[in-house]
Amino acid sequence: MSIPTEHSPITVDEGVYDLAHLSAFSAAIPGKGIEHGTDLGVVVVFSNHVYTERTKHGELHHAVDHHGTKRTFDADRYEMSKTLVGAIKESISGNSLTHVSKSYGGMDNLVFVETVDGRKWAAVYCLVPLDDGCSVRMEVLSCHPKVIDEKSISRRNLSYFARMCLYHKVRTPKA
């Protein structure tokens, strides 16, 4: 299974939650394309991890992720997902700083988003080269609150990782 480009509404108890805001979209990093003076295209898709959490033993699940793992709706993540799309678009157009951090599945890039209540959220993503040779697919794998000491991490611009993905023609960072 792969990460979907659209998410159907999810029903939890008696409530229905619209997920249309998490449809795939295209954006660009201005002036950072492979050819001098061109933009670097980015197609963004969202895993259901941005509005669910791993289902605990004996708990009711509401969805299954792209790996076949049961997931439970999380209202806090869902509320964050409403602002996540705008934050990701801004991170792409602004060529935001990102860094590599260890996760359960290997190494993933992170973009930090601050919510209105002041909490830091880690938007975890990877980049996959597209067949056109000049665009990448950004797979937003998760978004969750995380305490981070930003002074102790080494960061690079998003375009650095996207260009490495295109140059090496492999998922970045490697799984």
Side-chain angles (χ1 to χ4, degrees):
M1 287 173 116
S2 66
I3 295 175
T5 57
E6 294 181 347
H7 296 267
S8 300
I10 191 169
T11 302
V12 178
D13 298 324
E14 295 185 21
V16 177
Y17 296 87
D18 183 30
L19 299 169
H21 62 281
L22 294 174
S23 293
F25 66 88
S26 295
I29 304 172
K32 295 296 182 178
I34 295 298
E35 299 296 323
H36 181 71
T38 63
D39 296 345
L40 198 155
V42 181
V43 176
V44 182
V45 295
F46 297 90
S47 163
N48 65 8
H49 290 211
V50 302
Y51 59 88
T52 64
E53 64 182 0
R54 182 183 289 269
T55 301
K56 296 178 180 90
H57 181 70
E59 191 175 69
L60 180 66
H61 77 279
H62 304 103
V64 177
D65 72 9
H66 55 284
H67 296 298
T69 305
K70 293 177 181 177
R71 306 286 298 178
T72 300
F73 180 77
D74 182 280
D76 201 28
R77 287 187 186 199
Y78 173 74
E79 286 303 316
M80 176 54 186
S81 76
K82 293 178 184 177
T83 61
L84 182 59
V85 173
I88 295 292
K89 285 180 180 178
E90 191 175 301
S91 292
I92 293 169
S93 66
N95 195 17
S96 288
L97 291 173
T98 190
H99 77 275
V100 177
S101 175
K102 293 222 184 252
S103 72
Y104 294 116
M107 304 277 284
D108 295 309
N109 291 319
L110 300 175
V111 173
F112 297 102
V113 180
E114 189 169 337
T115 61
V116 175
D117 63 5
R119 290 187 298 165
K120 293 281 186 183
W121 287 73
V124 180
Y125 68 92
C126 68
L127 301 166
V128 179
L130 294 177
D131 291 338
D132 66 5
C134 60
S135 300
V136 295
R137 174 177 159 119
M138 175 187 275
E139 296 181 346
V140 180
L141 304 171
S142 186
C143 188
H144 51 270
K146 186 169 183 159
V147 177
I148 296 157
D149 179 10
E150 293 187 45
K151 294 177 184 172
S152 67
I153 58 176
S154 174
R155 298 180 281 186
R156 293 185 181 255
N157 292 88
L158 170 60
S159 61
Y160 169 83
F161 293 104
R163 290 172 65 97
M164 292 298 289
C165 174
L166 289 173
Y167 178 77
H168 293 292
K169 296 181 173 79
V170 295
R171 178 191 187 274
T172 302
K174 292 180 183 173

